[in-house]
Amino acid sequence: MKDTTAIGRVSVIGLGAMGSALARAFLAAEYSVTVWNRTAWKCAALAQSGAEIASSVEDALDSSRVAVGCVLDYAASVSLLHSPETSARLSQKTLVQLTTTLPKEAREEAAWAERHGIAYLDGAIQGYPQNMGTPKGVVLYAGPTAVFEATKLLLRCLGPNALFVGPDAGQASALASCLTASFTAGSVLAFLQGAAICEAEGISIDTYLSTVLTHMMPGMVADTLQTCVRMIKSGSYVGSQATLDTWASSLRGKVSYAREIGVDSHQLETTLGYLERALSAGHGQDELPAVFECFRKNATGAEGD
Ligand code: FVH
């Protein structure tokens, strides 16, 4: 859909793998794009695709009403954007921060932006550079609703899933932590541990993957996640499918089995450790979602307790 909100040009600060993908997606959607990167030669490919190269961050900010930042980390972003010269140039403009931030950093940046009259959105990209500008492009945003509304057509060029989390600038980053660190990295490591068992047992890794994708994720995994949400909301972990005692008994066996066949069992032991804690707290006859009680803020026995 053509942007009728008059954001004709966008500046992209940072042309690493992700910044370059963002700039390409904006160009593909027929925006005019100005780019800047610390290492100048990385701009050449974008120039060939039609982007204008700015010779300084200041020039890049001068050329557009919306700037998108995507550099290595928050410290690098601060070093580029918080000088008096750059802050002044951003005043009365919009900054969309797609550099990965921690929630605390996003909130700091929002406060800094407010002091300088900058409309600010913190974004958290949930995908790889190859996903940008495709239906798999997912980016979470947090900040003032009006700023999101004013920029959403532009942001949808990165993928149709420009998901607004809420006005608290730290919440996109916080949800991203749940999605990528807690869920994606945790599940992928669990998958890899299983892959090592398949290798040791001579089971095809393709069979493993297709069973996970076709049957487990839409079946047992999705069902259990939905049960987690229902039980957490109700505050009761009583169910009729499988008790924590049953799960723990099975997992103890699987830890011994992994050790016997010489496959690393630490990941399973860690999982079992959480189950044992929930058992010690009296949840043996509850279902698996009861383990949530071990993770909660200020939970008894939690790290740092
Ligand atoms: N790549 C990905 O899949 C992930 C997906 C989730 C979101 N991340 C975040 O995106 C930010 C950039 O990541 P990237 O993949 O583009 O990273 P690199 O290819 O390593 O490029 C880094 C760019 O940052 C520039 N840079 C680094 N330090 C400074 C600095 N002190 N001053 C100015 N620029 C700096 C670097 O410039 P150069 O080395 O080319 O001169 C690159 O442009 C990141 O927050 C991810 O967490 C991507």
Side-chain angles (χ1 to χ4, degrees):
M1 188 193 296
K2 189 77 185 157
D3 187 350
T4 53
T5 56
I7 302 174
R9 178 173 287 278
V10 56
S11 295
V12 178
I13 310 294
L15 290 181
M18 185 53 87
S20 298
L22 302 176
R24 281 195 298 272
F26 291 133
L27 284 168
E30 296 183 11
Y31 282 91
S32 302
V33 178
T34 301
V35 293
W36 177 87
N37 193 60
R38 179 181 63 176
T39 305
W41 66 260
K42 290 189 188 172
C43 299
L46 264 302
Q48 279 184 353
S49 304
E52 266 188 30
I53 302 177
S55 55
S56 64
V57 181
E58 290 80 1
D59 283 352
L61 299 179
D62 277 341
S63 72
S64 311
R65 289 197 304 115
V66 178
V68 173
C70 191
V71 290
L72 182 64
D73 56 20
Y74 181 60
S77 177
V78 167
S79 74
L80 293 174
L81 301 178
H82 284 214
S83 73
E85 294 74 25
T86 47
S87 310
R89 280 175 163 86
L90 279 166
S91 181
Q92 308 310 314
K93 295 186 177 178
T94 299
L95 172 63
V96 181
Q97 177 65 277
L98 294 181
T99 301
T100 297
T101 56
L102 292 170
K104 181 172 165 253
E105 295 167 339
R107 290 177 182 125
E108 266 173 32
E109 186 82 337
W112 162 83
E114 195 173 346
R115 287 198 301 280
H116 290 85
I118 302 163
Y120 177 68
L121 278 183
D122 189 76
I125 299 170
Q126 305 303 292
Y128 295 113
Q130 67 189 11
N131 303 133
M132 294 298 106
T134 79
K136 285 188 177 172
V138 180
V139 186
L140 312 175
Y141 296 95
T145 310
V147 179
F148 178 73
E149 288 298 321
T151 43
K152 69 183 179 191
L153 281 180
L154 170 77
L155 301 175
R156 280 187 187 145
C157 301
L158 305 179
N161 301 301
L163 307 177
F164 184 62
V165 184
D168 172 347
Q171 283 193 344
S173 160
L175 182 56
S177 174
C178 309
L179 294 171
T180 51
S182 306
F183 190 75
T184 306
S187 333
V188 171
L189 257 72
F191 179 83
L192 293 174
Q193 203 273 344
I197 295 180
C198 287
E199 183 183 60
E201 292 281 19
I203 299 165
S204 151
I205 193 168
D206 296 314
T207 302
Y208 175 44
L209 175 65
S210 68
T211 311
V212 166
L213 293 182
T214 312
H215 300 292
M216 299 309 288
M217 303 251 303
M220 196 173 187
V221 175
D223 288 353
T224 309
L225 296 183
Q226 279 157 359
T227 303
C228 285
V229 171
R230 182 170 50 75
M231 290 187 165
I232 289 168
K233 281 183 177 171
S234 74
S236 166
Y237 302 108
V238 177
S240 59
Q241 299 304 303
T243 65
L244 212 50
D245 280 333
T246 306
W247 274 98
S249 162
S250 166
L251 260 167
R252 284 185 205 108
K254 303 294 190 268
V255 167
S256 307
Y257 159 67
R259 284 184 191 146
E260 274 161 31
I261 64 169
V263 167
D264 185 279
S265 61
H266 286 88
Q267 187 260 344
L268 288 176
E269 285 165 37
T270 303
T271 304
L272 179 58
Y274 280 102
L275 268 62
E276 301 285 14
R277 262 175 56 197
L279 292 183
S280 305
H283 289 292
Q285 287 302 298
D286 287 336
E287 294 213 343
L288 189 57
V291 177
F292 175 64
E293 294 299 322
C294 302
F295 287 113
R296 293 186 99 156
K297 191 171 174 180
N298 302 326
T300 313
E303 278 291 307
D305 190 33

